[in-house]
Amino acid sequence: MIKFILKRFIDLIPTLLIVITIVFVITRIIPGDPAIVLLGPQASVEDVNEMNQKLGLNEPIYKQYFHYIANLLQGDLGDSIAYNNQSVAGLILERFPNTLILGISAILIALVVGVTAGVVAAVKQNTVIDYSVIVMSLVGVSMPVFWLGLMLVLLFSVNLGWLPSIGIGNLEDGFWNFIKYLILPSIALATIPMAEFARITRSSMLEVVNHDYIKTARSKGLSELRVICKHAFKNSLTPLLTVSGMQISMMLGGAILTETIFSWPGVGRLIIDAIDKRDFMVVQGTVLFIAIVFVLVNLVVDILYKVVNPRVNYSSGKGGGK
Protein backbone atom coordinates (compact mmCIF):
# COMPACT_ATOMS: atom_id res chain seq x y z
CA MET A 1 0.00 0.00 0.00
CA ILE A 2 2.79 2.45 0.95
CA LYS A 3 4.62 1.67 -2.29
CA PHE A 4 1.43 2.32 -4.23
CA ILE A 5 0.83 5.68 -2.49
CA LEU A 6 4.41 6.80 -3.14
CA LYS A 7 4.15 5.80 -6.79
CA ARG A 8 0.89 7.73 -7.16
CA PHE A 9 2.53 10.82 -5.66
CA ILE A 10 5.37 10.53 -8.17
CA ASP A 11 2.81 10.11 -10.97
CA LEU A 12 1.33 13.47 -9.97
CA ILE A 13 4.43 15.32 -11.17
CA PRO A 14 3.98 14.90 -14.96
CA THR A 15 0.21 15.33 -14.62
CA LEU A 16 0.56 18.64 -12.82
CA LEU A 17 3.35 19.77 -15.16
CA ILE A 18 1.04 19.23 -18.14
CA VAL A 19 -1.74 21.17 -16.41
CA ILE A 20 0.64 24.03 -15.57
CA THR A 21 1.95 24.20 -19.16
CA ILE A 22 -1.49 24.14 -20.79
CA VAL A 23 -2.92 26.81 -18.47
CA PHE A 24 0.19 28.97 -18.86
CA VAL A 25 0.03 28.87 -22.66
CA ILE A 26 -3.73 29.50 -22.75
CA THR A 27 -3.49 32.52 -20.44
CA ARG A 28 -0.80 34.01 -22.69
CA ILE A 29 -2.64 33.54 -26.01
CA ILE A 30 -6.16 34.61 -25.03
CA PRO A 31 -7.07 38.16 -26.13
CA GLY A 32 -6.72 41.02 -23.66
CA ASP A 33 -3.85 42.91 -22.11
CA PRO A 34 -3.79 42.91 -18.29
CA ALA A 35 -1.92 46.22 -18.32
CA ILE A 36 -4.82 47.89 -20.17
CA VAL A 37 -7.29 46.26 -17.77
CA LEU A 38 -5.33 47.67 -14.84
CA LEU A 39 -4.71 51.15 -16.28
CA GLY A 40 -7.99 51.56 -18.12
CA PRO A 41 -8.72 52.05 -21.85
CA GLN A 42 -7.52 55.69 -21.72
CA ALA A 43 -3.95 54.71 -20.76
CA SER A 44 -1.16 55.82 -23.11
CA VAL A 45 0.99 53.35 -25.03
CA GLU A 46 4.00 54.35 -22.91
CA ASP A 47 2.14 53.63 -19.68
CA VAL A 48 0.93 50.25 -21.00
CA ASN A 49 4.46 49.27 -22.06
CA GLU A 50 5.84 50.35 -18.70
CA MET A 51 3.22 48.30 -16.85
CA ASN A 52 3.87 45.21 -19.03
CA GLN A 53 7.59 45.56 -18.32
CA LYS A 54 6.87 45.83 -14.61
CA LEU A 55 4.72 42.67 -14.76
CA GLY A 56 7.35 40.83 -16.79
CA LEU A 57 4.99 40.37 -19.73
CA ASN A 58 7.38 41.94 -22.25
CA GLU A 59 9.76 39.00 -21.92
CA PRO A 60 9.62 36.05 -24.36
CA ILE A 61 7.01 33.51 -23.32
CA TYR A 62 9.56 30.77 -22.67
CA LYS A 63 11.40 33.02 -20.20
CA GLN A 64 8.13 33.80 -18.45
CA TYR A 65 7.38 30.06 -18.30
CA PHE A 66 10.73 29.05 -16.76
CA HIS A 67 10.52 31.96 -14.33
CA TYR A 68 7.06 30.75 -13.27
CA ILE A 69 8.22 27.14 -12.84
CA ALA A 70 11.23 28.28 -10.81
CA ASN A 71 8.93 30.20 -8.47
CA LEU A 72 6.58 27.22 -8.17
CA LEU A 73 9.46 25.00 -7.09
CA GLN A 74 10.00 27.44 -4.24
CA GLY A 75 6.30 27.27 -3.31
CA ASP A 76 5.57 30.71 -4.74
CA LEU A 77 2.37 30.97 -6.83
CA GLY A 78 3.11 34.61 -7.56
CA ASP A 79 1.26 37.81 -6.81
CA SER A 80 -2.07 38.91 -8.16
CA ILE A 81 -2.12 41.59 -10.82
CA ALA A 82 -5.63 42.84 -10.13
CA TYR A 83 -5.97 42.26 -6.37
CA ASN A 84 -3.47 44.87 -5.14
CA ASN A 85 -0.49 42.53 -5.45
CA GLN A 86 -1.88 40.09 -2.87
CA SER A 87 -0.23 36.68 -2.98
CA VAL A 88 -2.15 34.14 -5.08
CA ALA A 89 -1.74 31.52 -2.35
CA GLY A 90 -3.25 33.94 0.17
CA LEU A 91 -6.25 34.64 -2.10
CA ILE A 92 -6.86 30.89 -2.60
CA LEU A 93 -6.58 30.10 1.11
CA GLU A 94 -8.94 32.99 1.87
CA ARG A 95 -11.61 31.67 -0.55
CA PHE A 96 -11.12 27.89 -0.24
CA PRO A 97 -12.98 27.47 3.10
CA ASN A 98 -16.12 28.84 1.44
CA THR A 99 -15.77 26.38 -1.45
CA LEU A 100 -15.10 23.58 1.03
CA ILE A 101 -18.27 24.39 3.00
CA LEU A 102 -20.34 24.43 -0.18
CA GLY A 103 -18.74 21.22 -1.48
CA ILE A 104 -19.17 19.28 1.79
CA SER A 105 -22.82 20.30 2.17
CA ALA A 106 -23.51 19.36 -1.46
CA ILE A 107 -21.80 15.97 -1.23
CA LEU A 108 -23.64 15.17 2.03
CA ILE A 109 -26.99 15.98 0.39
CA ALA A 110 -26.04 13.94 -2.68
CA LEU A 111 -24.88 10.92 -0.67
CA VAL A 112 -27.74 10.81 1.84
CA VAL A 113 -30.54 11.39 -0.66
CA GLY A 114 -28.98 9.62 -3.66
CA VAL A 115 -27.80 6.47 -1.87
CA THR A 116 -31.02 6.14 0.11
CA ALA A 117 -33.09 6.51 -3.07
CA GLY A 118 -30.93 3.92 -4.84
CA VAL A 119 -31.26 1.36 -2.03
CA VAL A 120 -35.03 1.86 -1.75
CA ALA A 121 -35.43 1.58 -5.53
CA ALA A 122 -33.48 -1.69 -5.58
CA VAL A 123 -35.48 -3.16 -2.68
CA LYS A 124 -38.75 -2.04 -4.34
CA GLN A 125 -37.71 -3.15 -7.84
CA ASN A 126 -40.37 -2.80 -10.59
CA THR A 127 -42.67 -0.71 -8.39
CA VAL A 128 -43.82 2.89 -8.68
CA ILE A 129 -41.04 3.90 -6.29
CA ASP A 130 -38.41 2.21 -8.45
CA TYR A 131 -39.68 3.82 -11.65
CA SER A 132 -39.88 7.23 -9.94
CA VAL A 133 -36.24 7.01 -8.83
CA ILE A 134 -35.16 5.98 -12.34
CA VAL A 135 -37.01 8.91 -13.94
CA MET A 136 -35.75 11.42 -11.37
CA SER A 137 -32.18 10.17 -11.84
CA LEU A 138 -32.40 10.69 -15.58
CA VAL A 139 -33.85 14.16 -15.08
CA GLY A 140 -31.17 14.99 -12.49
CA VAL A 141 -28.17 14.06 -14.65
CA SER A 142 -29.68 15.88 -17.65
CA MET A 143 -30.10 19.28 -15.98
CA PRO A 144 -27.27 21.80 -16.49
CA VAL A 145 -26.09 23.32 -13.20
CA PHE A 146 -26.48 26.91 -14.35
CA TRP A 147 -30.07 26.32 -15.55
CA LEU A 148 -31.05 24.56 -12.32
CA GLY A 149 -29.46 27.33 -10.25
CA LEU A 150 -31.41 30.01 -12.09
CA MET A 151 -34.67 28.07 -11.70
CA LEU A 152 -34.07 27.68 -7.95
CA VAL A 153 -33.45 31.40 -7.61
CA LEU A 154 -36.56 32.21 -9.64
CA LEU A 155 -38.79 29.89 -7.58
CA PHE A 156 -37.50 30.16 -4.00
CA SER A 157 -36.08 33.68 -4.00
CA VAL A 158 -37.99 35.75 -6.55
CA ASN A 159 -41.46 34.17 -6.42
CA LEU A 160 -41.71 32.69 -2.91
CA GLY A 161 -39.17 34.90 -1.16
CA TRP A 162 -38.16 32.07 1.17
CA LEU A 163 -34.40 32.04 0.67
CA PRO A 164 -31.74 34.59 -0.36
CA SER A 165 -30.51 34.32 -3.92
CA ILE A 166 -26.90 35.55 -3.59
CA GLY A 167 -24.10 35.95 -1.07
CA ILE A 168 -22.96 34.02 1.99
CA GLY A 169 -24.37 34.09 5.53
CA ASN A 170 -22.51 35.10 8.65
CA LEU A 171 -22.47 32.70 11.60
CA GLU A 172 -22.31 35.66 13.97
CA ASP A 173 -25.85 36.52 12.86
CA GLY A 174 -27.14 33.06 13.83
CA PHE A 175 -26.93 29.52 12.50
CA TRP A 176 -30.11 29.81 10.43
CA ASN A 177 -28.84 33.00 8.80
CA PHE A 178 -25.79 31.05 7.67
CA ILE A 179 -27.69 27.95 6.54
CA LYS A 180 -30.36 29.78 4.52
CA TYR A 181 -27.67 31.20 2.20
CA LEU A 182 -26.22 27.71 1.77
CA ILE A 183 -29.39 25.79 0.83
CA LEU A 184 -29.94 26.83 -2.79
CA PRO A 185 -26.31 26.62 -4.01
CA SER A 186 -25.87 23.28 -2.22
CA ILE A 187 -28.95 21.80 -3.91
CA ALA A 188 -27.85 23.11 -7.31
CA LEU A 189 -24.38 21.61 -6.88
CA ALA A 190 -25.68 18.32 -5.42
CA THR A 191 -28.30 17.47 -8.05
CA ILE A 192 -26.13 15.77 -10.67
CA PRO A 193 -24.03 13.67 -8.22
CA MET A 194 -27.21 12.81 -6.29
CA ALA A 195 -28.78 11.40 -9.46
CA GLU A 196 -25.58 9.48 -10.27
CA PHE A 197 -25.39 8.01 -6.76
CA ALA A 198 -29.02 6.87 -6.95
CA ARG A 199 -28.49 5.23 -10.34
CA ILE A 200 -25.23 3.47 -9.42
CA THR A 201 -26.48 2.35 -5.98
CA ARG A 202 -29.64 0.87 -7.50
CA SER A 203 -27.83 -1.11 -10.20
CA SER A 204 -25.08 -2.24 -7.80
CA MET A 205 -27.62 -3.35 -5.19
CA LEU A 206 -29.66 -5.27 -7.77
CA GLU A 207 -26.54 -7.14 -8.82
CA VAL A 208 -25.65 -8.02 -5.22
CA VAL A 209 -29.11 -9.04 -3.95
CA ASN A 210 -29.28 -11.86 -6.51
CA HIS A 211 -26.13 -13.54 -5.19
CA ASP A 212 -26.38 -16.83 -3.32
CA TYR A 213 -24.99 -15.47 -0.05
CA ILE A 214 -27.89 -13.01 0.15
CA LYS A 215 -30.36 -15.84 -0.36
CA THR A 216 -28.48 -17.81 2.31
CA ALA A 217 -28.71 -14.90 4.74
CA ARG A 218 -32.45 -14.69 4.17
CA SER A 219 -32.83 -18.46 4.59
CA LYS A 220 -31.19 -18.16 8.03
CA GLY A 221 -34.11 -16.03 9.14
CA LEU A 222 -32.28 -12.68 9.29
CA SER A 223 -34.49 -9.65 9.04
CA GLU A 224 -34.74 -7.99 5.62
CA LEU A 225 -33.31 -4.76 7.05
CA ARG A 226 -30.24 -6.60 8.35
CA VAL A 227 -29.77 -8.47 5.06
CA ILE A 228 -29.94 -5.24 3.07
CA CYS A 229 -27.81 -3.08 5.38
CA LYS A 230 -25.18 -5.56 6.55
CA HIS A 231 -24.75 -7.90 3.60
CA ALA A 232 -26.08 -6.33 0.40
CA PHE A 233 -25.20 -2.63 0.85
CA LYS A 234 -21.68 -3.27 2.14
CA ASN A 235 -20.82 -5.43 -0.86
CA SER A 236 -22.24 -2.90 -3.32
CA LEU A 237 -19.99 -0.08 -2.08
CA THR A 238 -17.12 -0.58 -4.54
CA PRO A 239 -18.82 0.92 -7.65
CA LEU A 240 -20.26 3.67 -5.46
CA LEU A 241 -16.79 4.61 -4.23
CA THR A 242 -15.51 4.88 -7.80
CA VAL A 243 -18.38 7.13 -8.82
CA SER A 244 -18.04 9.17 -5.60
CA GLY A 245 -14.44 10.04 -6.42
CA MET A 246 -15.34 11.13 -9.93
CA GLN A 247 -18.35 13.14 -8.77
CA ILE A 248 -16.45 14.93 -6.01
CA SER A 249 -13.77 15.87 -8.53
CA MET A 250 -16.38 17.04 -11.05
CA MET A 251 -18.08 19.09 -8.34
CA LEU A 252 -15.06 21.39 -8.38
CA GLY A 253 -15.97 22.28 -11.94
CA GLY A 254 -19.63 22.60 -11.03
CA ALA A 255 -18.69 24.87 -8.13
CA ILE A 256 -17.36 27.47 -10.60
CA LEU A 257 -20.81 27.84 -12.18
CA THR A 258 -22.68 27.55 -8.88
CA GLU A 259 -20.54 30.14 -7.11
CA THR A 260 -20.94 32.51 -10.05
CA ILE A 261 -24.76 32.19 -10.13
CA PHE A 262 -25.15 32.62 -6.36
CA SER A 263 -22.25 35.10 -5.91
CA TRP A 264 -20.68 32.64 -3.48
CA PRO A 265 -17.19 33.95 -2.58
CA GLY A 266 -15.24 30.75 -3.21
CA VAL A 267 -12.37 29.62 -5.43
CA GLY A 268 -14.70 29.14 -8.42
CA ARG A 269 -15.88 32.73 -8.25
CA LEU A 270 -12.25 33.82 -7.87
CA ILE A 271 -11.36 32.11 -11.17
CA ILE A 272 -14.19 33.83 -13.05
CA ASP A 273 -13.25 37.24 -11.63
CA ALA A 274 -9.57 36.64 -12.44
CA ILE A 275 -10.38 35.70 -16.05
CA ASP A 276 -12.53 38.80 -16.38
CA LYS A 277 -9.66 40.97 -15.09
CA ARG A 278 -7.03 39.10 -17.13
CA ASP A 279 -5.22 38.25 -13.91
CA PHE A 280 -2.95 35.52 -15.28
CA MET A 281 -1.27 34.67 -12.01
CA VAL A 282 -4.54 34.04 -10.14
CA VAL A 283 -5.95 31.93 -13.00
CA GLN A 284 -2.80 29.80 -13.13
CA GLY A 285 -2.66 29.39 -9.36
CA THR A 286 -6.31 28.48 -8.88
CA VAL A 287 -6.36 25.99 -11.76
CA LEU A 288 -3.21 24.35 -10.39
CA PHE A 289 -4.79 24.22 -6.94
CA ILE A 290 -7.95 22.58 -8.31
CA ALA A 291 -5.83 20.06 -10.26
CA ILE A 292 -3.98 19.11 -7.05
CA VAL A 293 -7.26 18.66 -5.16
CA PHE A 294 -8.61 16.60 -8.08
CA VAL A 295 -5.72 14.11 -8.10
CA LEU A 296 -5.62 13.89 -4.29
CA VAL A 297 -9.34 13.04 -4.16
CA ASN A 298 -8.77 10.26 -6.69
CA LEU A 299 -5.82 8.99 -4.65
CA VAL A 300 -7.99 8.84 -1.51
CA VAL A 301 -10.68 6.97 -3.46
CA ASP A 302 -8.11 4.40 -4.64
CA ILE A 303 -6.99 3.86 -1.04
CA LEU A 304 -10.60 3.46 0.15
CA TYR A 305 -11.08 1.02 -2.72
CA LYS A 306 -8.40 -1.17 -1.19
CA VAL A 307 -9.88 -0.85 2.29
CA VAL A 308 -13.38 -1.85 1.16
CA ASN A 309 -12.17 -4.57 -1.19
CA PRO A 310 -8.84 -6.12 -0.07
CA ARG A 311 -8.81 -8.29 -3.21
CA VAL A 312 -7.85 -5.23 -5.29
CA ASN A 313 -4.29 -5.73 -6.56
CA TYR A 314 -2.06 -2.66 -6.87
CA SER A 315 0.99 -4.59 -7.98
CA SER A 316 0.20 -3.71 -11.60
CA GLY A 317 0.72 -0.07 -10.66
CA LYS A 318 -2.54 0.94 -12.32
CA GLY A 319 -4.26 1.99 -9.13
CA GLY A 320 -7.46 0.14 -8.62
CA GLY A 321 -6.83 -2.55 -11.19
CA LYS A 322 -7.92 -5.96 -10.12
Side-chain angles (χ1 to χ4, degrees):
M1 177 66 82
I2 294 176
K3 183 180 177 182
F4 164 74
I5 294 174
L6 289 175
K7 186 177 186 308
R8 287 298 305 271
F9 269 111
I10 294 173
D11 289 343
L12 298 184
I13 296 173
T15 304
L16 294 178
L17 190 59
I18 291 172
V19 171
I20 291 167
T21 305
I22 291 174
V23 174
F24 184 89
V25 172
I26 289 176
T27 54
R28 293 310 189 276
I29 62 176
I30 58 175
D33 189 332
I36 295 177
V37 175
L38 279 174
L39 298 173
Q42 305 301 325
S44 65
V45 176
E46 291 76 15
D47 289 340
V48 171
N49 286 334
E50 185 180 348
M51 179 58 72
N52 276 328
Q53 188 170 1
K54 180 181 177 183
L55 297 175
L57 299 177
N58 278 343
E59 294 182 349
I61 190 170
Y62 73 89
K63 283 190 176 179
Q64 295 180 44
Y65 177 74
F66 287 120
H67 182 66
Y68 182 63
I69 294 294
N71 285 339
L72 281 183
L73 292 175
Q74 300 175 48
D76 182 9
L77 293 176
D79 295 329
S80 164
I81 296 173
Y83 291 89
N84 299 320
N85 290 325
Q86 292 183 61
S87 71
V88 174
L91 283 169
I92 293 173
L93 292 177
E94 180 183 316
R95 304 291 189 94
F96 183 61
N98 296 332
T99 297
L100 195 61
I101 291 170
L102 179 61
I104 290 175
S105 62
I107 200 68
L108 286 176
I109 292 172
L111 280 172
V112 172
V113 178
V115 172
T116 303
V119 171
V120 172
V123 174
K124 303 290 184 183
Q125 187 184 13
N126 297 328
T127 64
V128 175
I129 295 175
D130 185 23
Y131 296 139
S132 300
V133 171
I134 293 173
V135 171
M136 292 305 294
S137 299
L138 290 174
V139 172
V141 296
S142 304
M143 281 194 296
V145 172
F146 68 91
W147 181 86
L148 177 62
L150 292 175
M151 291 302 103
L152 289 172
V153 169
L154 188 63
L155 177 60
F156 292 102
S157 298
V158 177
N159 291 333
L160 299 175
W162 290 353
L163 296 167
S165 59
I166 59 172
I168 183 171
N170 190 341
L171 272 174
E172 294 179 356
D173 297 329
F175 185 67
W176 169 242
N177 180 71
F178 179 77
I179 291 295
K180 69 180 182 182
Y181 282 90
L182 187 59
I183 293 174
L184 292 185
S186 297
I187 293 174
L189 189 58
T191 300
I192 292 179
M194 182 165 54
E196 279 292 327
F197 292 155
R199 189 177 63 82
I200 294 298
T201 303
R202 177 187 177 277
S203 60
S204 182
M205 284 286 292
L206 286 177
E207 185 179 341
V208 171
V209 294
N210 291 322
H211 283 182
D212 290 339
Y213 66 87
I214 297 295
K215 297 174 182 175
T216 303
R218 283 181 174 137
S219 68
K220 289 180 178 176
L222 297 178
S223 67
E224 186 66 15
L225 182 63
R226 188 173 180 184
V227 171
I228 294 299
C229 295
K230 184 176 180 181
H231 297 280
F233 181 66
K234 182 181 176 182
N235 288 291
S236 67
L237 277 178
T238 306
L240 183 62
L241 270 177
T242 307
V243 175
S244 299
M246 293 173 61
Q247 290 299 322
I248 291 172
S249 303
M250 291 174 67
M251 281 175 69
L252 291 170
I256 295 175
L257 293 173
T258 307
E259 290 179 1
T260 302
I261 293 169
F262 294 94
S263 290
W264 188 267
V267 175
R269 179 69 189 277
L270 179 63
I271 292 178
I272 297 298
D273 290 343
I275 293 173
D276 187 48
K277 296 174 180 176
R278 303 295 188 273
D279 195 334
F280 297 161
M281 301 306 290
V282 173
V283 174
Q284 291 166 180
T286 47
V287 172
L288 175 60
F289 177 77
I290 288 176
I292 291 173
V293 173
F294 185 96
V295 294
L296 288 179
V297 167
N298 281 281
L299 175 60
V300 170
V301 169
D302 282 344
I303 294 171
L304 290 176
Y305 222 83
K306 178 68 175 174
V307 173
V308 172
N309 186 2
R311 291 174 298 174
V312 173
N313 180 19
Y314 291 128
S315 60
S316 62
K318 294 181 180 180
K322 294 179 181 180

